């Protein structure tokens, strides 16, 4: 390209939605350093690799490129303040958060959706940035919805929830997913999602009660589906819901096989679950269903 | 890391929200090929670089790694079907979409939020994937909200909108942003956002009318802020709104300087705009405000 306007290019880059990370390391004298970045990508499962991009002009450039490794903290939706703190000049950024050393020595921050503590695998010079590729030496993840970023502003499920008021008969259900399986409950007329009718306590409270009833540690995320339930004269809203490992006390995690989907007798729910099955194939490490494409769980031994 | 469960690692990777892209190229005989990927990142402004990760096991591996370049199509929220088509085995994926050759010969798809047509800059082997780094030879972007992906399911502003019904007095306003400036309208008591009271036509229609009144080509995206407007006894919902280049017929794009923010007399709006100013600093190529960090618009000449 011979002529272009960097302002327009920057805006075009911004059309790609991202999460928000804080990338951290320790300087030679042990001081924790970190910066907010959204140029993160998972790269490889085996060996486990991730990447982030760092500006050549960054004051952290020397420290990060000479470090033994770095940690990537995937911020949760409650951590806008952490994102802001690590994005602007602040005297002691780490004084404002709770953090500890990860297994590889990288600072990991409390309350994140996930963290990856990495050894340095490779660095790649790429224009006005350098790509840091890290080998994951340890990681942790939980059900907290991630903070999103789109076209220069944060995106969170919390904003959706705040806008919803129980205006007439409203039913909320949760799509609790774990490793590609969905929590379905045996009802008298087939399999259904865990659900509840919104009472005077409001949408948030009802959602929490529905999640609690399943016995899982899970947090409602973005709205997944909305439809008019004409049989029950209600508006029906389904929320995405990530779960931590565990055993439900209500229902069971169910493969979305054709056979199981036939046991979902409500047409709207069945259509939605079909759609969910399709969508889970997306991405680098999409969750696959069915015999031909089933993922297999491995515990492998990998030398550093 | 000596022991880990790839299933858990994959779930942890999934906590990072992403957009959805379709990466395309032409084979030696001119056949268009493409695949759905969310492992995209912008890398550099000067030279303009982007990256995507491709699995070593991909049937497209040979074709992409030997291609002169590739195009990245950032899908818009209306293009879930495109994402699905390019993520599963389909006889002729390109028969299902409208597309054309980009300036570098990469297939660019109609209706996307943005596309980047790239020459191959560098490839980097990284575990079970290869990183393709492309030099942007041409690009285009518009105001269509991007399709998002979080923890195995799509995220779109459309789902939010569908869930909103005008249950009582409701005012919607739009945060129309262009290059870090926000469209503000001179009212008798100071600067305000373009807004409208939701009538019987519903939220969507009212939003469209508010956008139209500004004379801009813009599309409402995610909900940005929700609050009770006690003065007017209304629920007030503000939507993010990306705009294409143009001149507003109502109001003016305004720097969020301290001086200008003082002219926003409604406290809730002023707080929100303060927050927006903070957030725009995030990311690789965040939009900066103020004298110390102002971005400058350049048109540069870069040889290939």
């Amino acid at each position: 390209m011979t002529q272009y306007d960097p302002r327009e290019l920057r805006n075009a880059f911004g059309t790609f939605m991202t999460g928000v990370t804080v990338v951290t390391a320790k300087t030679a004298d042990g001081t924790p350093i970190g910066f907010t970045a959204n140029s993160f990508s998972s790269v490889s499962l085996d060996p486990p690799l991730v990447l982030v991009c760092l500006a050549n002009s960054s004051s952290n450039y020397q420290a990060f490129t000479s470090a033994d490794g770095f940690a990537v903290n995937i911020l949760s939706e409650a951590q806008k303040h952490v994102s802001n703190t690590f994005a602007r000049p602040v005297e002691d950024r780490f004084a404002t958060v709770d953090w500890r050393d990860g297994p590889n020595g990288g600072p990991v921050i409390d309350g994140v959706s996930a963290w990856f503590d990495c050894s340095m695998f490779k660095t790649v010079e790429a224009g006005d940035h350098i790509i840091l590729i890290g080998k994951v030496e340890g990681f942790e993840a939980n059900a907290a919805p991630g903070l999103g970023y789109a076209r220069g502003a944060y995106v969170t499920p919390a904003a959706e929830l705040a806008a919803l008021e129980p205006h007439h008969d409203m039913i909320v259900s949760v799509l609790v997913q774990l490793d590609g399986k969905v929590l379905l409950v045996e009802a008298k007329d087939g399999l259904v999602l865990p659900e509840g009718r919104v009472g005077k306590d409001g949408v948030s409270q009802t959602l929490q009660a529905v999640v609690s009833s399943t016995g899982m540690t899970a947090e409602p995320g973005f709205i997944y589906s909305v439809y008019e339930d004409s049989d029950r004269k209600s508006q029906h809203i389904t929320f995405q819901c990530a779960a931590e490992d565990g055993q439900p006390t209500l229902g069971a995690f169910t493969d979305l096989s054709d056979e199981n989907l036939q046991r979902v007798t409500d047409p709207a729910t069945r259509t939605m679950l079909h759609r969910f099955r399709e969508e889970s194939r997306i991405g680098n490490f999409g969750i696959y269903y069915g015999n031909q494409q089933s993922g297999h769980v491995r515990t492998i031994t990998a030398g550093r």
Side-chain angles (χ1 to χ4, degrees), chain A:
Chain A
M1 190 166 48
T2 50
Q3 292 278 342
Y4 70 102
D5 180 345
R7 179 193 65 113
E8 287 178 11
L9 181 63
R10 193 183 55 197
N11 290 345
F13 283 170
T15 62
F16 185 77
M17 202 178 301
T18 65
V20 181
T21 76
V22 167
V23 185
T24 60
K26 291 263 187 80
T27 61
D29 70 359
T31 309
I33 53 174
F35 62 94
T36 301
N38 64 347
S39 57
F40 166 84
S41 181
S42 52
V43 176
S44 167
L45 272 180
D46 184 11
L49 303 176
V50 299
L51 69 78
V52 287
C53 300
L54 173 66
N56 296 344
S57 61
S58 163
S59 58
N60 291 311
Y61 183 89
Q62 200 54 45
F64 271 93
T65 51
S66 60
D68 291 337
F70 58 89
V72 179
N73 296 272
I74 312 284
L75 299 188
S76 63
E77 68 166 335
Q79 294 185 305
K80 289 181 188 175
H81 62 289
V82 180
S83 170
N84 290 339
T85 297
F86 282 81
R88 67 188 167 201
V90 170
E91 182 84 34
D92 183 1
R93 291 167 168 174
F94 284 87
T96 67
V97 294
D98 289 322
W99 63 278
R100 64 187 191 282
D101 284 346
N104 197 55
V108 302
I109 297 172
D110 281 5
V112 297
S113 292
W115 55 259
F116 303 94
D117 193 16
C118 304
S119 58
M120 193 67 79
F121 181 77
K122 202 185 275 191
T123 61
V124 181
E125 290 179 18
D128 56 27
H129 281 63
I130 187 164
I131 304 170
L132 310 177
I133 305 178
K135 176 154 178 267
V136 180
E137 301 291 346
F139 68 95
E140 212 174 273
N142 60 48
L147 181 59
Y149 197 68
R151 294 186 187 263
Y154 294 126
V155 174
T156 73
E160 294 180 342
L161 213 47
L164 291 176
E165 295 194 8
H167 40 86
H168 65 109
D169 277 331
M170 191 189 264
I171 293 169
V172 291
S173 61
V174 290
L175 191 61
V176 185
Q177 43 170 313
L178 192 65
D179 301 323
K181 295 181 178 181
V182 169
L183 185 57
L184 293 175
V185 179
E186 197 83 49
K188 65 177 191 305
D189 50 356
L191 294 172
V192 299
L193 292 172
E195 64 165 43
R197 187 172 288 274
V198 177
K200 59 176 169 27
D201 290 341
V203 180
S204 253
Q205 293 288 323
T206 308
L207 259 182
Q208 289 299 342
V210 172
V211 168
S212 293
S213 73
T214 67
M216 297 294 295
T217 301
E219 288 197 38
F222 285 98
I223 292 172
Y224 187 69
S225 176
V226 181
Y227 61 93
E228 291 300 319
D229 184 335
S230 49
D231 280 359
R232 296 191 285 179
K233 298 201 181 359
S234 297
Q235 188 190 30
H236 191 126
I237 306 182
T238 305
F239 289 80
Q240 280 189 57
C241 215
E244 295 177 14
D245 273 341
Q247 283 296 327
T249 53
L250 176 75
F253 283 99
T254 309
D255 263 321
L256 297 182
S257 63
D258 286 343
E259 194 181 348
N260 286 333
L261 282 176
Q262 278 173 12
R263 298 184 52 224
V264 177
T265 50
D266 175 53
T269 306
R270 194 168 58 232
T271 301
M272 176 173 60
L273 291 174
H274 261 292
R275 174 159 78 88
F276 180 75
R277 183 172 74 173
E278 285 301 303
E279 295 180 12
S280 305
R281 296 166 188 258
I282 308 306
N284 264 25
F285 308 105
I287 298 162
Y288 295 96
Y289 296 89
N291 292 325
Q292 287 185 290
Q293 296 178 294
S294 63
H296 56 131
V297 177
R298 305 165 299 174
T299 302
I300 61 175
T301 303
R304 280 187 57 172

